[in-house]
Structures are given as structure tokens and as C-alpha cells.
Amino acid sequence: HEDLRSSMFPDLVGMHYSWWGGVQMGPPDPILGVTEAFKRDTNPKKMNLGVGAYRDDQGKPFVLSCVRKAEALIAAKQLDKEYLPIGGLGEFTKACAQLALGADNEVLKSGRSITVQTISGTGSLRIGANFLSRFHGGPRDVYLPKPSWGNHTPIFRDAGMQLKAYRYYDPSTCGFDFKGALDDISKIPEQSVILLHACAHNPTGVDPKPEQWKEIADLVKKRNLLVFFDMAYQGFASGDIDRDAWSVRYFIEQGHNIVLSQSFAKNMGLYGERVGGFTVVCNDADEAKRVESQLKILIRPIYSNPPMNGARIATTILNTPDLRSLWLEEVHGMANRIIKMREQLVAGLKKEGSTHNWQHVIDQIGMFCFTGLKPEQVERLTKEFSVYMTKDGRISMAGVSSGNVGYLAHGIHAVTK
Amino acid sequence: MSIFSDVPQAPPVAVFKLTADFREDSHPQKVNLGVGAYRTDDSQPWVLPVVKKVERLIVEDDSLNHEYLPILGLPEFRSASSKVALGDDSPAIKENRVGGVQALGGTGALRIGAEFLRRWYNGTNNTATPVYVSAPTWENHNAVFADAGFKDIRPYHYWDAAKRGLDLAGLLDDLEKAPEHSIFVLHACAHNPTGTDPTQEEWKKIAEIMKRRKLFVFFDSAYQGFASGSLEKDAWAIRFFVSEGFELFVAQSFSKNFGLYNERVGNLTVVAQDNENLTRILSQMEKIVRTTWSNPPSQGARIVSKTLNCPELFAEWKGNVKTMADRVLLMRDQLKSKLQALGTPGTWDHITQQIGMFSFTGLNPKQVEYMIKEKHVYLMASGRINMCGLTTKNIDYVAQSIHEAVTKVQ
């Protein structure tokens, strides 16, 4: 179209038309679009069950006490603002790896892994995707569970990988399609990448049980697949950090050299500080050093080195005993409130007279609940009750409080009876 | 057999390796003239007084939380940043055709801009569009554009080693010969690593050719205020190009002029032809940001935003910036005087003619090696020194070391 322009306007020297005439309007982000619509709604009873950010029982953002305490400690230290190394704050990456793997993990003792600080979970996934794209000798395909977090696909695609899927969610049970998953995984070509949600699957809240994880680990090993764990909710799912990391640790124990993305957005409430880690478990320390050097080469032309503030807060919490205990308590508290809301929602639905089986609301875990609502029902829920959620029927339990759970039950019953 | 057994060891990034080596050196008179970070006359990092003040305000503000910023960043930060670059009374801003993308430092701003250009400039996904970077340039420019997908990254003439100044003729010739629509990365001021900037008359010549040949202007502005001590003066080239009607990008960094190195504060200013174009551009920027870091870190943006948007704090900040710029100017002056007093062979006018944090001394690799190994004065193999590494306490030793290197090593 440049040629067309020059022939139509031969005297123009480039300043009378724009370079960007061909730039299409990008589609609005589906999840953030929900919040936009919510903001415009004037109904006093409106509920935002879209974005996955934790809210307290008053519906307010929650800054953890351990975070405030850590910030005060840090402020008192009067630290400088010098660049961090490309791979991030050393104390942070060490604590981050220990949190995921367990402090006494053989992998950490032998030095056969590398952890770099990343821009929260997204940044971690992207670095991982870029690393695989550049160095993974196997197929370009990354297998995601069906469904998965919406941003997984464009992240891997932009990194040059291709996306495929394995069955995961069973809409008929609102639970795990274990047979379907095993069946699909058994057919994945060797050396392909398989992405697993470590806990609190987003968007369904459906996690495999330990015995199921074991079979998956076994099958994945048989198929010789590269495992990419996404752990964005450690501690947030069950309330117990070790329990939530069980799947990651089990796979490593079984000999999988995994790659792992971690986020501290939810479990420390550090959303906007962008705190995360990317870990590669290698065969030995030498390999880990080589991998580290290449990760730095990838990171440098994206953002040079990561931001300090959030990493400092996270490190202070993890490495200061009473702050760490306080954090574990608060994470437990957040997870518990979610679990309570799940129970209250189901109780509320029963009270409304719903005859549907809502057990999945309690069985699912973590921030999100795949209600099983169909798009038309979601639309009604939004239009008639001002309850905002994504079209797939996903609700963020964090947006539910004791003050509005009754109203939510009422609305859901109304559109499903 | 590991999937990663074939991963080769990558070379370390030179400038960080230099600092690592410096740290290990136990020589009592060692001097680090490597990494580009400001140092006080006591060789200490300097957290700007205004930054300390604003950080206290932020910590004490219980109404603030750690929620996600919007994908494009903190709105008050973006608008204030673009304003700092383009000027308070910028017609482009008044015409509502200027937008910002908060990014992780100047690097992040460059990368987002590069990713956008690769996708949407000169056709769609046109990885063949030539990208020109100055010879020499900041060592990361190449990788930023290469990793964004551009296949053809070329140098444009810039540094004339013989005359130790700008190779204007070579530069202008490259502009004339570049394929139409090529992208040119221009340093807005305080060229890294040479410290050599075009004069206003020279900028005008550059602009004339770029307009005529439809070349894309991508400014890298990492030192606004830091170079001359004046925000306006250091932004002259950017503002001139905007006034000439260019649609352009400016990758801004607040690492140096706010001393916020590790908080990763940057902004990609987009100057579009009109608001309609701007809107579409920003919508696509969001998509790029979403798969890179989702949304940017809030701490640094809050500090800069509070400062730029409050008149008293803004004035205090300008004072802090001038303090840094003035110390650098003083060191330039003293280094030149001392070399001249020592009778060190060669001319040393370039030390005071060059501007900003860096100076291309003209030392060759052998002389640099001598400086490092024999004198424990650490500088880049290119002969680049960070003026901030100089202090009233070490400047005599450094001048003496340069003198020795130049006289003993050819």
C-alpha cells in the first residue's frame, strides 16, 4: 500500500500521511475488558468476578502485613539503587528456588539448577519460552491443558513456539478429564514441551490428585517430554506452600529436569511489583552455568536487569523468620477465605432452591472457579444482576465476600433454574 | 542425555564483567571507569535527595497498595514523562497525538518499540527493514533489534577516530544511501559511548535528509538533563524533529537522571500524526507488552510521577540533576587540564568537548590493557571511560596512568 500511496500522492514527502495507516486496532483484552465494563456499571450491587487479584472480605485490595513490615525494614536500610545483575538479586533467586523446591532439595545442594529473577509470572514464562525457542532441539510444539490461562498462547507464539493442547477439563463433571489427559499425553511426540499448572489450575481450579499426578509423571517420562511447570499460586491454593509445590517436587524426584515459572503476585500480593522467577533444572552444575549464561543473553535485550523493589520485599519476608511465619499465616488466611466463600456459595445455592450439583465449586481450588455456566447464562448474570465475569463461566472467588455471596447465589440460581 | 547438553557457554556481557573484575582486584588505588552509573566525589552511588523524600512519602502513604498497573503503565507517569521529553507547551501534546508506554528502563522502551516496528512498520512483519545504529553505539542496541526479529542491522558512520569527533560527512552520506524507510537509532544527547553529539546545525542537516528519504526516527534518550544540566537543552534534537513533523519514537530512561537504575523506569514516547493513529498504535503496544511482562513495575514509576507532577519536587529534582551534571563537567575540565599539564602527547580538547557520562579517550586496546593490568584503572576496551568514576581524589592517579599508557604503549 506504500506504492499505492506514492502513486496517488506523488508530491508528498512522507509527512502528509502516516506510517501507521495500516496498523489495525488491537482487540481489547478479554479479561481486562470485563473490568472496564464493570467500572461503567452504576448498579450498587455490582460484582467484579473478572480479574484474579485477591480481595479481602470488604472487597478491598489486601496489602499483607508481612509486606508492610518488610517495606519498613527495607526503608530503614537506606539502600542504594544500583543495577541488579542481569539474573536478578542473588538472595532472591536463592530463596525463590528454595521455596519451590524445598530448602533441602538435592537439586539445590548439587547446584544443578539455575534460577533467574523475572518480571513476575508473565516475564518468567516469556523468558522460558524464548529459551526453549532458541535452545530446545525437540519439536516446536508446546502442549497446553485445555483450557489454560489465556495469555499462555500468545506468549509462546510470540517466542516462536507452536501451540497444541491436551484434554484437561471435563465440562460434564466440571472436573478433571483424567482419562482424556492420559490418552492425549500418550500421543504427544517425544521431546515436545508439556506445560503443567503446578496447583490451582487457571481458569478451572481443577487440579489432579496426587495419585493422578504420579501417573501423569510416569507417562510424561515414558514419552520423554520436557516439562514446563507454571506455579503462580504456591501457598494460595491449599494454604500450605509445601503441599502446593508437591507436584513440582515429585516430578523432580522422579528424574524430570523441569523448567519452572514462579510468581509472587498473588501469594505475596505483590502484583504491581512484578516479582517472579524462572528455574531450569539441569544435569549438573556445569550445564546450569551454561544455561545461566544464555538466559542472561536473552534477558539483556529485553529489559537489561530486573526491578529491585518487589524482589527485596519478597527476599526480606522469606529470609526473616518472623516475617516468614507471618507470611505463611497470611497466605493461609487468604486461601481459607476463598475456601469459605466456596462453601458459602454452595450453601447459598442450596438455600435458593437450586437442584443442580454444585460440588465442583467446593472441589475446585485456588482463586478461580469454573462454574459451568454457559455463555448465555453468563450474559444474563451480567445484564440482569451486574455480576461481571469472563464468558467461559470463570469467576474469581477473590471477588466474593460474605457480604455479596448471597446475592451471587441468588443471581446464579436465577439464570440456571 | 540432557536436552540442554548442547547449550554453549555464552560470553559475559563485557561491561558487567569489567565491574566483576574490578571488585576482585585488591589494589588500593584501583579505579572503576566502566559501568555507566553516577558516583559522588567519594566514589559512592548517590540516591537523589528528592528520590529519598518521595520514597518516604510513598512508604508512609497507607492508601497505596501493590495492585497491578494498567498494561501501558501508570497514566500520570506516562504523560509526565512524554512532557519532559517534548516540553510543557509541545504542540504535539496539545494536539493529543502523543502517547507513552511505561517500560522497564530505556532497554525495555527500545525493545517494545522495536517489536512494534517489526510487526507494523514498512508493511507487516517486515524483518528485512534495515535498522541503522551508530558506529559505535551502546552495545545492547544491536541485540535489542535483532531479538525483536530484524535481520539487517547496519552501522552508520558516526565516530571519526582520526579527528576524534563526529564524522558528519560519513553520517550524511549513509543517510542519503540508506534504503527508504530504514530505521535510524539516534542518540538524543550525550552519545554513548563517544560523548560526541551533533550541533544544532548538524541536526538540521540530518533531519532534512531523513525527511526527504522517508527514514524512521527512533531516539534513544537516556541522559536528558544529565548531559548539559538543562532538560530543555538536552531535548533540543527531539523537539526539533517533532516540530519538523516527524512521526517518531523516543525511548526514555530515568535510570541516570533520577538515579533509579534498579527500579527500571522508562517510557516509550510515541509521536503520531493524529490521535486516531495514536489510538491504534497504543492498542497494538498493549498486545506486545502483555506477552513480554503483562504490566510494568510500579515503584519507580510512582517515584518519577510524583516528582514530575509536583512543582516543588520537580524543581528539587532539576537541582539534583544539575548537581550530577556539574560534577561531570568539573571532572572533564580537570582531566583535560591535568593531561595538558603532564604534557601527555596528543590533543585532549575532546575531553571537554564531549558531553555526558562518557568519554571516548582515544586509547587503543593495548593501552587499555595497560591501564587495567598495570595501573588497575578499569575502562572499556573501546577506550570509553565513565567520567563519574573520576573524583578529586583519584584524578591525579588516572591522569598519570593515561600519561603512562600513551607514552609507553603504542
Side-chain angles (χ1 to χ4, degrees):
Chain A
H1 65 256
E2 287 291 355
D3 289 330
L4 181 61
R5 275 217 182 82
S6 340
S7 62
M8 282 169 70
F9 307 102
D11 298 324
L12 292 183
V13 288
M15 291 308 113
H16 296 267
Y17 66 86
S18 169
W19 292 129
W20 315 121
V23 174
Q24 294 154 25
M25 187 68 189
D29 186 287
I31 296 169
L32 299 174
V34 167
T35 297
E36 297 302 302
F38 167 82
K39 283 192 189 138
R40 289 192 294 265
D41 192 325
T42 50
N43 184 345
K45 288 205 158 123
K46 65 181 180 177
M47 290 177 71
N48 186 0
L49 303 182
V51 167
Y54 181 80
R55 294 286 175 265
D56 63 17
D57 203 47
Q58 276 71 50
K60 296 270 178 291
F62 175 53
V63 177
L64 280 65
S65 298
C66 62
V67 167
R68 287 215 194 279
K69 289 189 154 84
E71 287 179 303
L73 285 176
I74 292 163
K77 286 199 179 131
Q78 297 281 292
L79 300 166
D80 65 41
K81 301 244 168 247
E82 295 301 288
Y83 288 122
L84 284 179
I86 300 174
L89 183 65
E91 304 166 84
F92 169 75
T93 55
K94 191 158 168 229
C96 177
Q98 285 180 343
L99 180 66
L101 272 40
D104 51 1
N105 197 305
E106 156 272 318
V107 164
L108 298 177
K109 291 201 171 115
S110 67
R112 68 180 182 93
S113 68
I114 174 62
T115 300
V116 292
Q117 182 187 337
T118 57
I119 316 302
S120 205
T122 301
S124 177
L125 288 161
R126 182 52 182 274
I127 294 299
N130 283 359
F131 181 75
L132 292 178
S133 186
R134 194 171 273 188
F135 291 106
H136 182 49
R140 307 259 83 201
D141 297 315
V142 176
Y143 285 76
L144 301 179
K146 204 188 305 185
S148 194
W149 182 44
N151 207 17
H152 277 145
T153 294
I155 288 173
F156 281 101
R157 192 166 283 152
D158 278 7
M161 303 297 282
Q162 278 151 217
L163 281 312
K164 290 208 156 72
Y166 57 92
R167 272 171 287 169
Y168 191 84
Y169 178 71
D170 186 345
S172 64
T173 61
C174 295
F176 183 36
D177 182 1
F178 185 43
K179 262 190 80 200
L182 289 181
D183 192 27
D184 283 351
I185 293 173
S186 71
K187 300 187 172 100
I188 297 179
E190 292 206 24
Q191 298 203 0
S192 303
V193 180
I194 182 168
L195 184 133
L196 303 169
H197 297 224
C199 64
H201 180 270
N202 179 0
T204 68
V206 169
D207 287 349
K209 297 194 184 17
E211 319 87 69
Q212 294 171 324
W213 272 126
K214 286 180 178 172
E215 278 200 56
I216 294 168
D218 212 49
L219 178 59
V220 163
K221 192 190 274 195
K222 279 202 180 73
R223 298 301 307 148
N224 192 18
L225 306 178
L226 170 50
V227 175
F228 197 141
F229 265 113
D230 184 353
M231 184 157 69
Y233 299 98
Q234 187 185 7
F236 202 95
S238 69
D240 180 326
I241 49 162
D242 294 311
R243 194 157 147 204
D244 288 348
W246 183 85
S247 61
V248 172
R249 297 173 190 184
Y250 179 77
F251 270 67
I252 291 174
E253 239 174 75
Q254 294 302 303
H256 296 268
N257 280 359
I258 64 162
V259 302
L260 166 70
S261 285
Q262 289 170 262
S263 167
F264 289 85
K266 283 83 170 171
N267 60 11
M268 282 193 181
L270 289 174
Y271 307 92
E273 302 297 336
R274 319 310 291 128
V275 197
F278 178 67
T279 296
V280 182
V281 176
C282 304
N283 268 1
D284 52 52
D286 177 72
E287 185 175 285
K289 276 257 151 311
R290 286 183 281 115
V291 167
E292 179 186 18
S293 71
Q294 295 296 348
L295 288 172
K296 288 180 183 174
I297 298 284
L298 277 168
I299 291 170
R300 171 80 167 147
I302 307 178
Y303 52 84
S304 277
N305 38 71
M308 166 68 106
N309 196 49
R312 263 273 170 239
I313 295 171
T315 307
T316 304
I317 291 171
L318 292 172
N319 291 346
T320 309
D322 39 272
L323 289 188
R324 192 188 175 101
S325 313
L326 178 55
W327 173 57
L328 292 175
E329 261 179 57
E330 296 189 281
V331 147
H332 204 256
M334 289 192 286
N336 270 358
R337 194 184 86 68
I338 301 278
I339 291 169
K340 216 162 122 200
M341 289 301 100
R342 290 178 179 279
E343 288 164 0
Q344 286 192 12
L345 179 56
V346 172
L349 285 161
K350 287 207 172 94
K351 202 157 147 221
E352 289 281 328
S354 177
T355 53
H356 293 293
N357 179 0
W358 295 103
Q359 185 57 33
H360 56 281
V361 172
I362 292 177
D363 290 344
Q364 289 167 8
I365 193 168
M367 197 175 285
F368 301 111
C369 168
F370 237 34
T371 54
L373 291 178
K374 303 186 184 54
E376 322 80 73
Q377 294 166 328
V378 171
E379 208 182 323
R380 277 190 64 198
L381 199 50
T382 303
K383 278 208 165 76
E384 296 171 31
F385 295 92
S386 296
V387 172
Y388 290 81
M389 51 200 284
T390 45
K391 275 203 305 265
D392 53 10
R394 182 192 90 163
I395 58 175
S396 168
M397 293 308 301
V400 182
S401 69
S402 49
N404 64 24
V405 64
Y407 178 73
L408 178 62
H410 177 73
I412 292 178
H413 176 61
V415 305
T416 56
K417 65 181 173 199
Chain B
M1 183 65 178
S2 165
I3 35 172
F4 298 130
S5 46
D6 292 337
V7 173
Q9 175 77 28
V13 179
V15 68
F16 299 130
K17 171 96 180 24
L18 193 75
T19 293
D21 291 344
F22 169 82
R23 284 213 184 98
E24 277 176 30
D25 190 331
S26 53
H27 195 271
Q29 283 182 299
K30 65 178 183 175
V31 181
N32 186 359
L33 302 180
V35 152
Y38 179 78
R39 292 284 176 270
T40 62
D41 199 54
D42 292 313
S43 293
Q44 294 304 307
W46 193 50
V47 178
L48 275 59
V50 74
V51 168
K52 283 191 179 161
K53 186 184 280 187
V54 172
E55 275 194 312
R56 255 194 314 270
L57 293 173
I58 290 173
V59 164
E60 286 161 12
D61 187 346
D62 276 340
S63 75
L64 289 176
N65 54 42
H66 291 287
E67 293 299 290
Y68 290 123
L69 286 182
I71 297 175
L72 296 180
L74 189 64
E76 316 87 90
F77 166 79
R78 296 159 56 206
S79 54
S81 300
S82 295
K83 220 162 123 192
V84 150
L86 303 187
D88 280 342
D89 46 6
S90 164
I93 293 179
K94 288 200 172 76
E95 289 157 21
N96 215 354
R97 57 189 184 91
V98 174
V101 179
Q102 182 187 336
L104 271 80
T107 306
L110 284 162
R111 181 60 177 264
I112 299 300
E115 293 279 354
F116 178 89
L117 290 173
R118 194 261 298 160
R119 285 164 172 72
W120 297 107
Y121 174 69
N122 199 24
T124 49
N125 205 35
N126 189 351
T127 59
T129 301
V131 177
Y132 283 81
V133 297
S134 64
T137 193
W138 181 48
E139 119 283 332
N140 205 16
H141 275 147
N142 221 286
V144 168
F145 283 87
D147 280 13
F150 286 102
K151 301 273 180 258
D152 185 358
I153 299 164
R154 314 175 181 184
Y156 59 86
H157 285 87
Y158 196 82
W159 171 249
D160 184 333
K163 73 172 217 220
R164 278 196 219 137
L166 180 67
D167 177 3
L168 182 68
L171 204 181
L172 297 181
D173 193 48
D174 284 338
L175 290 171
E176 289 287 2
K177 298 204 165 89
E180 282 194 349
H181 308 308
S182 296
I183 296 163
F184 273 75
V185 179
L186 306 173
H187 298 227
C189 71
H191 183 271
N192 177 0
T194 69
T196 300
D197 291 342
T199 62
Q200 291 185 3
E201 285 316 302
E202 289 167 345
W203 274 124
K204 286 178 179 171
K205 292 196 170 111
I206 293 166
E208 187 273 317
I209 303 174
M210 291 190 79
K211 189 189 283 198
R212 183 167 28 87
R213 309 223 58 259
K214 304 189 185 93
L215 305 172
F216 185 79
V217 176
F218 199 148
F219 272 114
D220 183 350
S221 177
Y223 301 99
Q224 189 184 1
F226 200 100
S228 68
S230 155
L231 293 171
E232 290 73 31
K233 203 156 158 212
D234 290 348
W236 186 87
I238 295 171
R239 297 175 189 189
F240 174 71
F241 273 72
V242 171
S243 72
E244 287 290 296
F246 285 87
E247 289 182 289
L248 52 78
F249 286 176
V250 185
Q252 300 170 263
S253 168
F254 292 95
S255 291
K256 283 82 170 172
N257 60 14
F258 260 88
L260 284 173
Y261 307 94
N262 69 19
E263 298 296 2
R264 317 311 296 126
V265 204
N267 186 53
L268 177 70
T269 285
V270 175
V271 180
Q273 188 176 82
D274 52 45
N275 184 262
E276 199 265 327
N277 273 288
L278 178 70
T279 305
R280 281 182 286 109
I281 293 167
L282 293 180
S283 76
Q284 294 296 347
M285 291 286 183
E286 278 197 350
K287 283 186 72 183
I288 294 168
V289 168
R290 182 67 167 143
T291 61
T292 313
W293 53 62
S294 267
N295 41 74
S298 71
Q299 181 72 356
R302 276 179 175 162
I303 295 170
V304 172
S305 175
K306 264 183 148 46
T307 306
L308 295 181
N309 285 315
C310 165
E312 291 94 53
L313 293 173
F314 187 71
E316 189 177 342
W317 172 59
K318 285 200 283 192
N320 289 173
V321 171
K322 190 157 188 312
T323 298
M324 293 191 285
D326 284 349
R327 196 178 94 65
V328 167
L329 289 168
L330 179 66
M331 289 299 99
R332 286 186 178 279
D333 208 57
Q334 289 195 357
L335 181 61
K336 180 175 100 170
S337 308
K338 287 184 191 294
L339 290 170
Q340 284 172 341
L342 285 169
T344 310
T347 54
W348 299 100
D349 291 330
H350 57 285
I351 302 278
T352 48
Q353 279 161 2
Q354 289 165 6
I355 192 167
M357 199 179 274
F358 301 114
S359 175
F360 240 31
T361 53
L363 292 172
N364 66 39
K366 283 211 174 74
Q367 291 163 338
V368 169
E369 206 185 328
Y370 178 88
M371 292 283 284
I372 297 174
K373 291 221 157 67
E374 305 302 323
K375 308 304 295 183
H376 307 271
V377 175
Y378 289 74
L379 64 158
M380 302 299 290
S382 60
R384 183 191 92 168
I385 60 173
N386 176 5
M387 300 304 301
C388 301
L390 291 174
T391 68
T392 50
K393 292 128 183 118
N394 68 24
I395 195 160
D396 283 311
Y397 179 69
V398 172
Q400 181 61 38
S401 302
I402 293 176
H403 182 79
E404 279 181 36
V406 171
T407 51
K408 285 185 182 173
V409 183
Q410 304 313 312

